[in-house]
Amino acid sequence: MTYSYDPTQIRAGGKDQMRFELGDTQVGGGAKTCALADEEYEAVLAGLKEGKKAWLFAKLSLLEAILLKMSYQVDTKIDVLQYSFGNRADRWQKMYETLKKQALATASIPTLAPSITEMPPYFHKGMEENLAARHGGGGPPSPFRRMTT
């Protein structure tokens, strides 16, 4: 397992940006200080589609993975030495609840796929004109076609 973070890549849309947004940037201690490994971030982001919704749901699934990992860590106190892992989990739990509300709100808003927006419009100027009626092809008059000769 590898643990790396490059702050110059926080706008590149990869694991470094996700680490930054989740606050999982202390990579110096490896598994002791990081919530997830690079491979875990990359596995979730591998098949990610473009768009804010996909990023939001990937972030939500990574937060779920972090919370599952944190659930196995317990607070420990030995004489004067004390480890409080619950504080880390509380911070991510609050972030998860906020993000879940945001994800549910955006999931109910329909969006178009980029391939649909690139298509020409279905309706166009002159589509109601009947070329057969224009050139004397006959047929009953219609209020939706121009009757020109």
Side-chain angles (χ1 to χ4, degrees):
M1 297 284 222
T2 57
Y3 300 90
S4 63
Y5 172 66
D6 184 4
T8 63
Q9 298 295 316
I10 61 173
R11 292 289 166 220
K15 72 166 178 61
D16 295 310
Q17 181 176 351
M18 189 63 81
R19 274 196 189 277
F20 175 75
E21 290 183 13
L22 294 176
D24 187 22
T25 58
Q26 299 299 320
V27 295
K32 293 179 183 176
T33 57
C34 285
L36 298 174
D38 290 352
E39 292 83 4
E40 292 168 313
Y41 280 104
E42 290 165 357
V44 171
L45 298 174
L48 192 64
K49 296 179 182 178
E50 288 185 28
K52 288 184 179 181
K53 266 189 189 180
W55 183 262
L56 184 70
F57 283 101
K59 192 174 178 180
L60 191 64
S61 68
L62 285 166
L63 271 171
E64 286 175 354
I66 289 171
L67 288 172
L68 285 172
K69 252 188 186 180
M70 291 290 154
S71 69
Y72 292 106
Q73 296 180 351
V74 296
D75 294 344
T76 306
K77 184 176 182 179
I78 304 169
D79 199 20
V80 294
L81 181 64
Q82 181 175 341
Y83 295 106
S84 296
F85 294 110
N87 294 341
R88 290 175 64 190
D90 289 341
R91 179 175 53 95
W92 274 312
Q93 181 68 39
K94 289 176 186 172
M95 188 186 298
Y96 175 77
E97 295 301 328
T98 304
L99 199 62
K100 188 173 182 180
K101 288 177 187 175
Q102 186 180 357
L104 289 173
T106 58
S108 63
I109 301 171
T111 57
L112 294 176
S115 60
I116 293 173
T117 59
E118 295 169 0
M119 294 174 56
Y122 178 77
F123 297 102
H124 56 86
K125 184 177 179 180
M127 71 178 280
E128 74 279 351
E129 294 178 4
N130 186 342
L131 297 177
R134 178 183 289 175
H135 300 293
S142 171
F144 299 110
R145 68 175 167 197
R146 272 187 8 211
M147 299 302 288
T148 59
T149 56

